[in-house]
């Protein structure tokens, strides 16, 4: 039933869960099947507690190898849904290390999931295409037509960023197979990808074709949320390019922005940019275009890709280990003994090499932070000197805090760059003794209130769950402090912490809009003289 009628399987498994089980083995298998059924029925995961029951059991009973592999796969899938790509990659690599060599289906499925991580994180070196092709080979060995079809579709869509001819070649294969299997979903994929290609064309005819495809597809409402959002954004972008901003706005306003994937978030900002340029608003166009580029850069940053690579590398040697353990003869065991000694030497060399790499990376990140902070010091000095409304005491404290942070980074990286964990720990301890005083934060919050229609006071009243650190961060962001200055005042060791804090703060406040738009509402209320506070507001009680 899991394969042929998953909804019914989920219903039965949910009812069984209410009745309880007599032993741990039954509970573990139930947890695995329930996690699998929920995933296949698109029930969004809110935690990994259920799959952990299965994983904990099968890690201790590795004679159940196939179930251990599946537990690792669905643990990875759930971590993906929870937004933890690095953790998902770790469990997929563990699954590859445990999967049987003749289990072609699970080998293919794990690689399909890894390919999806590459694609969703916009890894720029076509790793997704390579891994999807490996998955296709495994599914061909397993003679699984359904997943062969999925791989053909994924490969075709991945070529969009590099080779449009390959897009059509693979999607044509997928379309032919889909007709044999009577699978209508691939035809939908085919049309979306064609529209994706055409909507960025300079030809008015191609843009009109992309718009017509999107409008035609939207007449069918039976799509998942992300698919429907994608189609609506194609419609919005093409209408904006045709200088029909009002029609474009209708579609763009229907896109639920809170759950967009990284790639769709980039497309959403490009839609906004195109919408404003069609209205002749160059300033807003520039702002949203740069935002789309910033999001794409942050997703596809070398550091993020390197994290995924590091997670992969950590488990690549495990596959060799599990393959070798399948041989049981004494001769093979003796050979393995020699390989074991060799692997120890290899690992020792890898550790030395990795420490050197980590040291170089830590030095590079710290040097970039120092360089940017020196640039922002000049910007901050000018900004503070021109700011007549800010007290001299607050200006002086800002300058001192940035200088203190700069000295801490320089001194700690010189001593502890070879050990990033120790660097982070001791840097934080040093920062805690040099962090801004409570009077500094009172001054910043008071100044933000004065400039933006009591934004901090009103936010605190409407969002009582916010902590003092949240309000301090919001104050700095409201008054336009550079990213590295916010790092210096909040004690963050890297710029990504600032971006992550913005996103978490908007979620905590219950906003249905980005934090920038929330602040912009207060700025507008000041310009329009809305002193009663009708310009913006937090969701009450969240």
């Amino acid at each position: 039933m899991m394969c042929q009628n998953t909804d019914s399987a989920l219903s039965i498994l949910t009812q069984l869960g209410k009745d309880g089980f007599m032993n741990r083995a039954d509970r573990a298998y139930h947890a695995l099947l329930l996690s699998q059924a929920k995933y296949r029925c698109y029930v969004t995961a809110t935690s990994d507690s259920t799959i952990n029951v299965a994983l904990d059991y099968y890690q201790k009973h590795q004679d159940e190898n196939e179930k251990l592999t599946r537990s690792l796969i669905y643990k990875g899938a759930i971590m993906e849904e929870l937004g933890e790509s690095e953790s998902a990659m770790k469990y997929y690599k563990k699954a590859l290390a445990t999967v049987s060599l003749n289990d072609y289906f699970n080998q293919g499925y794990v690689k399909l999931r890894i390919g999806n991580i590459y694609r969703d994180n916009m890894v720029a070196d076509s790793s997704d295409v390579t891994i999807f092709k490996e998955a296709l080979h495994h599914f061909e060995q397993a003679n699984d037509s359904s997943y062969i079809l999925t791989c053909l579709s994924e490969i075709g869509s991945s070529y969009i960023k590099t080779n449009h001819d390959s897009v059509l070649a693979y999607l044509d294969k997928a379309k032919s197979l889909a007709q044999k299997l009577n699978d209508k979903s691939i035809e939908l994929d085919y049309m979306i990808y064609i529209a994706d290609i055409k909507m960025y064309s300079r030809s008015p005819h191609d843009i009109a074709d992309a718009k017509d495809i999107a409008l035609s597809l939207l007449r069918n409402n039976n799509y998942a949320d992300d698919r429907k959002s994608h189609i609506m954004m194609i419609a919005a972008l093409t209408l904006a390019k045709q200088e029909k901003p009002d029609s474009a706005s209708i579609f763009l306003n229907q896109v639920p922005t809170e759950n967009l994937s990284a790639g769709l978030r980039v497309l959403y900002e490009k839609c906004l940019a195109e919408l404003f340029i069609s209205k002749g608003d160059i300033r807003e166009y520039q702002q949203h275009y740069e935002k789309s580029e910033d999001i794409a850069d942050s997703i596809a940053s070398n550091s993020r890709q390197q994290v995924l690579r590091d997670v992969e590398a950590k488990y690549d040697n495990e596959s060799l280990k599990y393959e070798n353990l399948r041989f049981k003869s004494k001769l093979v065991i003796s050979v393995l003994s020699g390989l074991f000694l060799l692997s120890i030497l290899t690992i020792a060399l890898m550790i030395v090499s990795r420490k050197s790499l980590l040291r170089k990376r830590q030095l590079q990140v710290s040097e970039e932070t120092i360089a940017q902070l020196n640039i922002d010091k000049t910007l901050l000095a000018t900004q503070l000197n021109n700011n007549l409304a800010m007290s001299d005491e607050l200006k002086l404290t800002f300058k001192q805090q940035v200088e203190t942070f700069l000295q801490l980074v320089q001194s700690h990286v010189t001593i502890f760059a070879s050990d990033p964990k120790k660097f982070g720990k001791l840097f934080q301890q040093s920062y805690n003794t040099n962090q801004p005083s409570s009077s500094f934060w009172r001054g910043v919050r008071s100044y933000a209130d004065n400039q933006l229609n009591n934004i901090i006071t009103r936010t605190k009243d409407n969002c009582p769950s916010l902590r003092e650190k949240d309000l301090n961060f919001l104050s700095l962001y409201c008054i336009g402090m550079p990213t590295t200055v916010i790092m210096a005042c909040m004690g963050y060791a890297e710029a990504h912490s600032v971006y992550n804090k913005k996103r978490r703060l908007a979620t905590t406040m219950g906003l249905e809009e980005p934090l920038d738009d929330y602040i912009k509402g207060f700025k507008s209320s000041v310009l329009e003289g809305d002193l009663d506070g009708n310009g913006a507001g937090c969701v009450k009680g969240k």
Side-chain angles (χ1 to χ4, degrees), residues 66-119:
E66 194 273 338
K67 292 175 184 174
L68 172 60
T69 298
R70 277 164 50 198
S71 298
L72 290 165
I73 290 172
Y74 285 101
K75 171 74 172 184
I78 289 169
M79 298 314 291
E80 267 195 271
E81 289 192 343
L82 295 176
E84 299 183 25
S85 299
E86 294 88 352
S87 182
M89 179 69 83
K90 178 180 74 174
Y91 286 104
Y92 290 146
K93 295 300 290 188
K94 281 187 174 182
L96 277 182
T98 63
V99 67
S100 171
L101 287 177
N102 57 5
D103 186 353
Y104 301 123
F105 176 84
N106 277 328
Q107 286 191 67
Y109 189 72
V110 175
K111 291 185 177 179
L112 180 62
R113 301 303 313 167
I114 292 174
N116 285 332
I117 291 183
Y118 283 141
R119 183 194 58 203

Side-chain angles (χ1 to χ4, degrees), residues 476-495:
L476 292 170
Y477 196 70
C478 284
I479 62 178
M481 288 294 107
T483 297
T484 54
V485 175
I486 296 176
M487 288 168 56
C489 294
M490 296 299 296
Y492 298 150
E494 55 181 19

Side-chain angles (χ1 to χ4, degrees), residues 2 8-18 21 29-30 33-35 37:
M2 185 74 76
S8 297
L10 176 59
S11 177
I12 293 171
L13 289 162
T14 302
Q15 184 59 45
L16 284 171
K18 296 176 182 177
F21 292 92
Y29 192 40
H30 173 262
L33 291 175
L34 182 60
S35 299

Side-chain angles (χ1 to χ4, degrees), residues 2 10 82 131 150 158 167 180 267 320 392 536:
M2 185 74 76
L10 176 59
L82 295 176
I131 201 78
T150 299
S158 297
V167 174
K180 293 180 182 178
L267 178 57
L320 178 61
D392 291 338

Side-chain angles (χ1 to χ4, degrees), residues 241-524:
K241 285 189 172 187
Q242 292 182 333
E243 298 185 353
K244 299 177 181 178
D246 293 337
S247 299
S249 296
I250 292 173
F251 288 102
L252 204 55
N253 290 338
Q254 296 179 60
V255 176
T257 58
E258 63 276 6
N259 291 320
L260 291 180
S261 67
L264 291 183
R265 169 61 68 179
V266 173
L267 178 57
Y268 181 77
E269 292 298 332
K270 287 185 177 179
C271 287
L272 285 173
E274 198 66 44
L275 181 62
F276 281 110
I277 197 66
S278 70
K279 293 180 178 181
D281 191 334
I282 303 298
R283 183 174 176 274
E284 288 290 340
Y285 160 78
Q286 187 69 22
Q287 179 179 336
H288 287 288
Y289 180 80
E290 289 178 356
K291 189 171 182 179
S292 72
E293 294 295 303
D294 289 343
I295 294 172
D297 287 344
S298 67
I299 298 166
S301 66
N302 289 333
S303 61
R304 182 170 182 81
Q305 293 182 26
Q306 188 60 47
V307 169
L308 292 173
R309 297 294 189 214
D310 288 346
V311 173
E312 276 199 283
K314 181 177 179 181
Y315 292 98
D316 279 344
N317 286 334
E318 293 297 316
S319 297
L320 178 61
K321 173 184 173 183
Y322 277 89
E323 289 171 20
N324 289 337
L325 287 177
R326 290 185 176 91
F327 297 99
K328 297 181 180 180
S329 70
K330 292 182 179 180
L331 176 61
V332 174
I333 291 175
S334 64
V335 172
L336 284 175
S337 298
L339 290 175
F340 178 71
L341 292 175
L342 181 61
S343 67
I344 290 177
L345 293 175
T346 304
I347 291 171
L349 291 173
M350 287 176 62
I351 290 172
V352 172
S353 175
R354 184 172 174 78
K355 283 187 175 181
S356 175
L357 179 63
L358 288 172
R359 172 177 164 75
K360 290 179 181 177
R361 193 180 307 149
Q362 182 65 54
L363 280 169
Q364 182 182 0
V365 170
S366 299
E367 286 168 359
E368 289 172 356
T369 300
I370 291 168
Q372 186 60 48
L373 196 50
N374 279 321
I375 294 171
D376 286 346
K377 274 175 62 181
T378 305
L379 175 64
L380 177 66
T382 304
Q383 185 176 339
L384 295 179
N385 290 335
N386 292 338
N387 203 325
L388 300 177
M390 187 181 290
S391 70
D392 291 338
E393 180 183 355
L394 189 54
K395 292 178 183 179
L396 179 62
T397 309
F398 260 122
K399 293 178 180 178
Q400 291 174 340
Q401 185 60 32
V402 171
E403 189 60 41
T404 299
F405 184 87
L406 188 58
Q407 292 173 1
L408 287 176
V409 174
Q410 288 173 324
S411 62
H412 282 75
V413 76
T414 301
I415 302 172
F416 301 114
S418 60
D419 190 341
K421 289 184 177 179
K422 192 170 184 180
F423 166 83
K425 180 179 179 181
L426 294 178
F427 171 80
Q428 195 61 53
Q429 289 176 355
S430 299
Y431 175 81
N432 289 339
T433 64
N434 292 277
Q435 59 184 307
S437 65
S438 57
S439 61
F440 167 78
W441 290 118
R442 285 195 299 271
V444 176
R445 286 158 67 167
S446 175
Y447 177 67
D449 268 346
N450 181 264
Q451 294 296 303
L452 289 175
N453 202 2
N454 289 321
I455 183 172
I456 304 303
T457 301
R458 288 164 53 197
T459 300
K460 182 178 181 182
D461 291 341
N462 287 338
C463 305
S465 63
L466 292 182
R467 300 175 301 169
E468 291 297 309
K469 286 187 176 181
D470 296 331
L471 295 171
N472 293 341
F473 177 89
L474 181 60
S475 302
L476 292 170
Y477 196 70
C478 284
I479 62 178
M481 288 294 107
T483 297
T484 54
V485 175
I486 296 176
M487 288 168 56
C489 294
M490 296 299 296
Y492 298 150
E494 55 181 19
H496 281 297
S497 299
V498 178
Y499 305 137
N500 292 337
K501 182 64 176 180
K502 279 176 54 184
R503 187 175 64 253
R504 291 197 303 271
L505 186 56
T507 301
T508 303
M509 293 167 67
L511 298 180
E512 295 180 355
E513 57 188 358
L515 188 61
D516 290 328
D517 291 345
Y518 175 73
I519 295 170
K520 190 184 298 182
F522 278 90
K523 290 181 180 178
S524 300

